[in-house]
Amino acid sequence: MAAGQWVAVDVGHTLEAPGAISARGRSEFEFNRTLALHIVAALESRGFAVRLINADGRIGSLKARPQAAAGAAFLLSIHHDSVGAHELRPWRWGGHLLDYNDKFAGHSLFVSRDNPDTARSVLCARTIGARLQRMGFEPTHKNGLRRAYADHTHAVHYYDGLAVLRHARMPAVLFEAGVIKNRGEEVLLRDPERQARMADGIATAIAACLRMGEPADDETAADRVQS
């Protein structure tokens, strides 16, 4: 990565639209912000300049996210996954009626073929996926029913219409850290030591992708001619 370049880390969702609610009633936005802060620290420890986007949860629009990342070498948007409403089961926690699904667990990654640098987006996504799997983190393939694979082994999917990816002018990846409707995985996703370890793996992969990686032929072929 050239001197003066930096990485943008986006906190998915907002205070007003906090995303999914976990099995124990915590908002996805809270999960996203906590993990994003760990990732920022891990990237900075590797010498990267980093901009945290939407830290206060008050960003104005989806398009404002990639706009805030203008000039970055790479954009990573942090999210946590849910499941369809028809697959949820009711339960009580802390006196509240909530819902859960313990069938699905694991992380996944998304890129857009409408991004101007799909090739490096795919490269960085599969590098993150590979690093996390080497560290013992397991991906989910539940999203493969609706989203085509860019890399099946590392659970990298195409999701062309995602605004944060398609409007970015730099390589961009959306990362789903795990399924917060899964009662067991939710506990793991709230563990600070595990959060820091996952962030360390992500930062290691981003450093490798940006500093040393070159897209393979299949990654380069994913780039579309921009109209």
Side-chain angles (χ1 to χ4, degrees):
M1 192 172 74
Q5 290 187 320
W6 49 279
V7 174
V9 178
D10 169 56
V11 180
H13 294 287
T14 64
L15 294 176
E16 290 188 359
I21 302 300
S22 76
R24 292 175 178 81
R26 190 182 192 217
S27 76
E28 181 188 345
F29 173 76
E30 295 178 76
F31 281 90
N32 297 343
R33 179 167 56 185
T34 300
L35 180 58
L37 289 169
H38 281 286
I39 293 170
V40 168
L43 286 167
E44 289 177 340
S45 74
R46 286 161 174 77
F48 285 92
V50 187
R51 180 180 299 171
L52 183 62
I53 296 171
N54 191 40
D56 63 0
R58 300 181 186 277
I59 199 161
S61 68
L62 291 173
K63 285 188 177 182
R65 297 173 187 273
Q67 287 171 353
F74 181 71
L75 169 61
L76 179 69
S77 186
I78 303 302
H79 288 255
H80 286 69
D81 213 349
S82 185
V83 299
H86 66 285
E87 298 176 291
L88 296 173
R89 300 291 180 268
W91 80 313
R92 286 195 174 273
W93 174 261
H96 299 283
L97 181 62
L98 298 163
D99 47 38
Y100 75 95
N101 179 305
D102 291 340
K103 179 179 178 181
F104 301 107
H107 63 269
S108 54
L109 302 106
F110 296 85
V111 299
S112 172
R113 284 168 289 195
D114 290 331
N115 179 279
D117 197 347
T118 305
R120 190 163 292 276
S121 299
V122 173
L123 173 62
C124 289
R126 67 185 358 159
T127 304
I128 292 169
R131 178 61 182 170
L132 291 177
Q133 286 180 241
R134 284 197 296 272
M135 295 174 70
F137 294 99
E138 295 187 8
T140 182
H141 289 281
K142 77 176 187 66
N143 297 306
L145 297 174
R146 296 185 301 129
R147 303 296 171 193
Y149 283 97
D151 181 336
H152 184 279
T153 300
H154 300 116
V156 179
H157 300 271
Y158 290 120
Y159 195 161
D160 299 332
L162 279 173
V164 70
L165 304 180
R166 68 188 300 264
H167 292 297
R169 299 298 89 191
M170 70 294 293
V173 172
L174 186 145
F175 177 66
E176 297 272 11
V179 181
I180 58 176
K181 288 295 189 182
N182 182 307
R183 293 174 294 183
E185 185 162 54
E186 178 192 8
V187 173
L188 296 176
L189 290 166
R190 295 187 72 162
D191 178 13
E193 291 187 7
R194 187 180 186 276
Q195 291 165 351
R197 187 164 172 268
M198 176 174 271
D200 184 78
I202 292 169
T204 296
I206 292 173
C209 178
L210 296 183
R211 290 172 172 163
M212 296 175 286
E214 290 297 331
D217 289 342
D218 63 323
E219 293 158 350
T220 303
D223 277 336
R224 292 176 172 178
V225 176
Q226 299 297 304
S227 58

